[in-house]
Amino acid sequence: MKHFSILVPVTSYLYILLFVYAGFSKLLDYENFTVQLAQSPLLSAYAGVVAPAVICMEFMLSLLLIFRKTRLTGLYGSFFLMIAFTIYIYLILNYSDFVPCSCGGIIEKLNWTEHMIFNITFVILALLAIAFSEKEKHTRKHMVLLKTSLPSLLAAGVVVGLFLSSEHIIKKENNFIRRFGQHSLRDEKALDLGVNSYYFAGIAYGQIYLGNYTAPLVLTSVDTSLTTKVPAKLELDDTDLPFRSIRIQIETPYFYVYDGNIPIIYRGKLGDSHAHTISFEDCYFSQLQVIDSINFAFRAQSRSTKSQVLGRLSLNREPKVTLNYGLLEKQIDGMFDTDGKLLRDNSTGELAYIYSYRNEILVMNKELQLLQKLHTIDTISHAQVQVRRLSDGRHKLGAPPLQVNKTALLYKQVLFNESMLMGKFESRKAWQQAAIVDMYSTGRQEYLGSFYIYHRGENKMSQMLATDNYLFVLRGSEIVRYRFAQAVTANFKTGEAENPKQSKQEF
């Protein structure tokens, strides 16, 4: 029994050492500690509250453990806090969508499993010290059991409650806190294309197809292993037109060449360089997405309202063109404030429109019927655009607008969006070094997480393209391949797109 008498002070001193060191480590790098909590899969929504609370508890418990009269209270508090930390790690390892990096204080070199063992050791020490102290006070065993069980259950309840509510807030009611998963992308490989004027035209038969802004009738194929590059010159059946902005798009088994300023659409078969006119003067458009060989979704300016509108071109129908005036919502002028990107999910057929200057995403079916109206996690719901009306009736921007969303991609009901806004608890240095891509599930209508695409010198990401396993990025004169982690690909929807009733949801 005598050798057990040192258990209580030794355990108390170990906890004091742990809490004081950890508390001061967090204080000295408070911003980084808060960022780490914000990236936690369990506590993201409460990082601003939990960070100071944990530090205060660690210092307060250290004071209680110093003095003999308050030591038992300090041991119970330490037992409660360490139980909470242990439950937290257990939930991360078993129920989290992703496992963040393991970091912080005295145990920063340990992985999550080693953290668990470390914490369990301290839980056992605290429990033994409590039992010995209570025995000296002649406390009955069932009271000791009750007094240790209640903190355990309370700690577990608090952590589980924070986990469940934080998950709902982050995924459905986000107040602009990002989660950066551990190693969402890996295995980087790059191919130098020689010039920086390429754009993604599409992917088919294991080949990535690239268009070129400066050589508009050259279609270049690159194999997905990024080893070979083969250019091909396309031939159109009518080139005697004042082209202004020729673009190429791939939709197996065809390639399409178009210029909405003319307007004209050509179609040719992959493997054959000849393309023939399939639509001429049916409609003008500023953006086009191929639905199938005879159906197209487009964005144009309405002659009647002078606002931007989404429409559908069907070559086998009369009338060929149908416009859906109710999709793009005017906030200021209907032109600049509705600017954005028209996207198509080639795997499910879904269409989406993501605004450039506000946090809204429209999800539509092939007939341009609205399925959901979703929101990104930032708070810009109204476009911050200043528009000046000129004497000739034209509109011009009076000042640079606040851009919310830049380039985007829709693949298997996961929307990848390059955001231009910094979230809470994020490093400004990281924003200077990388593009931030947020992921959303259009089917489950929730935010999935974020990852970095790092710049290479002055070269930044300009466009993305996805496959089942890889993300391809154009960055300067390079095409770069990243492998998706399983945590990302697990969100890909297989089969046909869901067709929920029209609704308004928010991530």
Side-chain angles (χ1 to χ4, degrees):
M1 183 67 70
K2 184 180 292 185
H3 60 276
F4 277 106
S5 61
I6 64 169
L7 177 65
V8 176
V10 168
T11 299
S12 300
Y13 295 147
L14 285 174
Y15 266 104
I16 291 169
L17 178 63
L18 175 65
F19 288 156
V20 169
Y21 182 88
F24 275 112
S25 296
K26 295 178 178 74
L27 273 181
L28 292 174
D29 198 6
Y30 184 77
E31 181 182 6
N32 186 49
F33 173 55
T34 308
V35 169
Q36 290 171 5
L37 282 181
Q39 303 313 317
S40 160
L42 275 66
L43 303 175
S44 303
Y46 302 108
V49 175
V50 172
V54 168
I55 294 173
C56 289
M57 288 182 67
E58 288 175 337
F59 285 134
M60 182 182 69
L61 290 173
S62 298
L63 286 174
L64 291 174
L65 290 167
I66 290 174
F67 305 104
R68 182 182 295 271
K69 289 184 177 181
T70 58
R71 184 167 291 165
L72 183 57
T73 302
L75 285 170
Y76 273 112
S78 302
F79 178 70
F80 167 84
L81 190 60
M82 199 56 67
I83 284 285
F85 289 162
T86 305
I87 296 295
Y88 168 78
I89 294 174
Y90 177 79
L91 290 174
I92 280 182
L93 290 174
N94 293 278
Y95 297 100
S96 172
D97 290 341
F98 66 92
V99 178
C101 62
S102 172
C103 43
I106 197 170
I107 47 177
E108 61 182 353
K109 301 300 182 183
L110 304 182
N111 61 36
W112 284 106
T113 301
E114 291 166 341
H115 276 205
M116 174 81 82
I117 296 171
F118 182 91
N119 285 2
I120 290 174
T121 302
F122 269 79
V123 167
I124 294 172
L125 284 174
L127 187 60
L128 291 173
I130 289 170
F132 187 81
S133 298
E134 293 286 12
K135 187 173 183 179
E136 286 189 326
K137 293 175 61 179
H138 305 292
T139 306
R140 294 180 178 179
K141 291 183 179 180
H142 72 274
M143 288 300 299
V144 176
L145 181 63
L146 182 64
K147 290 167 72 174
T148 52
S149 298
L150 286 177
S152 302
L153 293 174
L154 181 61
V158 168
V159 175
V160 171
L162 287 174
F163 167 53
L164 294 176
S165 59
S166 180
E167 283 293 280
H168 177 77
I169 290 171
I170 290 296
K171 292 183 176 182
K172 299 290 186 179
E173 301 173 4
N174 195 293
N175 57 353
F176 207 10
I177 299 174
R178 285 191 173 92
R179 286 179 174 174
F180 291 91
Q182 186 179 20
H183 309 306
S184 296
L185 302 176
R186 57 182 183 269
D187 296 341
E188 181 179 347
K189 184 176 182 181
L191 173 67
D192 188 0
L193 299 172
V195 295
N196 63 357
S197 53
Y198 285 101
Y199 63 87
F200 286 123
I203 186 167
Y205 308 126
Q207 297 289 313
I208 299 168
Y209 289 92
L210 304 171
N212 193 323
Y213 294 112
T214 58
L217 290 180
V218 174
L219 181 62
T220 300
S221 61
V222 177
D223 65 299
T224 54
S225 62
L226 303 189
T227 55
T228 61
K229 181 182 71 169
V230 180
K233 180 68 179 295
L234 303 181
E235 299 178 7
L236 309 180
D237 62 3
D238 185 359
T239 57
D240 191 21
L241 294 167
F243 295 119
R244 292 169 56 188
S245 181
I246 291 179
R247 296 293 299 271
I248 304 172
Q249 193 173 144
I250 305 299
E251 178 62 27
T252 312
Y254 302 107
F255 68 87
Y256 299 82
V257 182
Y258 55 88
D259 186 339
N261 298 290
I262 303 299
I264 193 167
I265 302 175
Y266 303 88
R267 186 180 69 207
K269 199 153 190 179
L270 287 170
D272 184 353
S273 61
H274 297 278
H276 305 277
T277 303
I278 58 171
S279 172
F280 182 59
E281 293 187 343
D282 290 321
C283 64
Y284 292 85
F285 52 85
S286 55
Q287 291 187 36
L288 185 76
Q289 285 291 336
V290 180
I291 296 175
D292 55 43
S293 60
I294 56 174
N295 293 291
F296 307 84
F298 64 87
R299 189 192 72 180
Q301 184 179 16
S302 169
R303 292 180 181 177
S304 58
T305 65
K306 305 301 181 185
S307 298
Q308 297 201 99
V309 63
L310 297 181
R312 178 181 165 108
L313 170 63
S314 299
L315 302 182
N316 63 341
R317 294 183 186 177
E318 288 297 336
K320 291 182 179 180
V321 175
T322 55
L323 301 177
N324 191 329
Y325 289 97
L327 289 172
L328 301 185
E329 296 182 5
K330 175 180 176 180
Q331 291 184 334
I332 301 171
D333 68 324
M335 188 65 186
F336 292 109
D337 63 334
T338 57
D339 196 16
K341 298 284 190 306
L342 179 60
L343 309 171
R344 180 172 180 269
D345 189 335
N346 292 337
S347 61
T348 65
E350 267 187 353
L351 294 163
Y353 190 84
I354 181 166
Y355 288 101
S356 295
Y357 306 124
R358 55 177 124 152
N359 64 352
E360 195 166 79
I361 304 166
L362 308 178
V363 182
M364 302 157 284
N365 62 16
K366 299 176 183 179
E367 299 294 330
L368 284 185
Q369 296 171 328
L370 184 65
L371 301 179
Q372 298 104 21
K373 189 178 290 185
L374 312 172
H375 291 81
T376 54
I377 58 175
D378 63 86
T379 57
I380 308 299
S381 59
H382 195 277
Q384 298 182 23
V385 177
Q386 297 180 27
V387 181
R388 294 179 58 187
R389 184 182 179 89
L390 304 182
S391 57
D392 59 4
R394 291 181 299 143
H395 289 187
K396 282 196 172 184
L397 288 173
L402 175 65
Q403 187 171 13
V404 176
N405 305 306
K406 194 176 180 183
T407 185
L409 159 72
L410 183 60
Y411 184 73
K412 291 195 171 180
Q413 290 193 315
V414 175
L415 188 142
F416 299 85
N417 174 52
E418 181 186 359
S419 174
M420 301 300 288
L421 300 179
M422 183 181 297
K424 293 181 180 179
F425 315 119
E426 290 180 17
S427 166
R428 186 168 297 278
K429 182 179 180 181
W431 271 83
Q432 294 170 346
Q433 297 175 340
I436 279 69
V437 177
D438 300 326
M439 297 179 292
Y440 302 91
S441 168
T442 60
R444 300 198 305 273
Q445 303 158 27
E446 63 185 34
Y447 167 64
L448 300 174
S450 305
F451 56 82
Y452 294 106
I453 298 290
Y454 285 93
H455 310 323
R456 180 166 294 185
E458 297 297 317
N459 296 322
K460 303 178 181 180
M461 178 181 73
S462 60
Q463 203 177 357
M464 299 178 287
L465 183 145
T467 66
D468 285 349
N469 298 309
Y470 298 105
L471 179 72
F472 294 91
V473 167
L474 289 176
R475 184 180 61 192
S477 62
E478 291 181 320
I479 179 172
V480 186
R481 188 186 75 183
Y482 300 90
R483 177 181 288 275
F484 284 125
Q486 195 274 335
V488 176
T489 59
N491 295 294
F492 288 157
K493 172 71 176 179
T494 57
E496 287 297 312
E498 297 173 357
N499 189 18
K501 295 180 180 179
Q502 181 172 325
S503 60
K504 184 174 182 178
Q505 299 288 339
E506 186 169 333
F507 286 117

